[in-house]
Amino acid sequence: MNDLPAWVKTMAREDGFSCDVTMLAHGGWYLSDHIKEPQTKFNVMYGDYDYIVLQEHSHPFDRIDDYHSASKTISAWADKAGSRIVIYGTWSRKDDKESQDFMNKINRDIASDNGAILVPVGERWWSYNDAWSDIEQYNEDGAHASRAGTEFAAKIIWTAIEDNISEKTTR
């Protein structure tokens, strides 16, 4: 929604980085659905990506064993291709704030298990939402991000990737 990859691309270019983005997404799909599709493996293996952002189905945030398994599979493909996995930790529904801690823990575990970069959007979502209550982060469906929420998420994604780039160049 709201062209999240395009936002990240714009932010990268504004910071002086050449950036191209590709998105492979189907509404309602889990990562376990993606690994069954031949184009997913092909894109990961031959897309020449520096970073591959994985986002699990968030609403409901269930099928956790499948999430672990699918992320391992995609991470193995990415390792062979020389790409770095990024786990996009999303937010809970507007009416289900209490689920956020569980989502944060699972996303942290998945990132750790795969040696991936964690993008903790969900971990920051609610404090930002509380501090800036006049800015609506949710789309009217109470699950997806509004334009402002998308910009917030894109900034966290880009910052995590940029920090990794900076870390690699200072070694």
Side-chain angles (χ1 to χ4, degrees), residues 13-161:
R13 289 192 170 177
E14 286 174 353
D15 286 344
F17 290 88
S18 174
C19 179
D20 292 310
V21 296
T22 301
M23 184 171 76
L24 182 58
H26 301 283
W29 277 30
Y30 291 80
L31 286 178
S32 59
D33 295 316
H34 284 283
I35 64 170
K36 296 173 190 169
E37 293 294 318
Q39 73 266 23
T40 303
K41 183 176 183 180
F42 184 86
N43 273 285
V44 170
M45 296 292 297
Y46 304 107
D48 291 325
Y49 303 117
D50 295 316
Y51 298 92
I52 298 171
V53 179
L54 301 183
Q55 176 189 342
E56 181 57 289
H57 189 275
S58 300
H59 309 113
F61 192 71
D62 57 357
R63 297 173 42 182
I64 304 307
D65 289 341
D66 289 348
Y67 181 19
H68 278 279
S69 178
S71 66
K72 286 269 188 215
T73 298
I74 297 172
S75 291
W77 297 339
D79 285 345
K80 288 179 184 174
S83 303
R84 186 80 193 268
I85 291 293
V86 176
I87 300 297
Y88 175 14
T90 56
W91 52 89
S92 59
R93 290 184 58 85
K94 190 173 187 176
D95 62 0
D96 190 22
K97 183 177 182 178
E98 58 275 2
S99 293
Q100 190 64 60
D101 287 340
F102 174 71
M103 294 173 74
N104 295 345
K105 180 190 180 321
I106 297 302
N107 285 311
R108 281 202 167 276
D109 290 348
I110 297 283
S112 178
D113 290 349
N114 291 293
I117 298 166
L118 175 68
V119 176
V121 176
E123 293 183 14
R124 298 179 185 168
W125 185 269
W126 285 99
S127 60
Y128 185 85
N129 193 53
D130 293 344
W132 298 94
S133 58
D134 58 324
I135 300 173
E136 182 55 62
Q137 288 190 181
Y138 283 96
N139 191 330
E140 59 196 32
D141 67 2
H144 293 93
S146 66
R147 181 178 165 90
T150 299
E151 185 175 3
F152 174 78
K155 183 64 177 169
I156 296 172
I157 291 169
W158 169 240
T159 299
I161 292 171

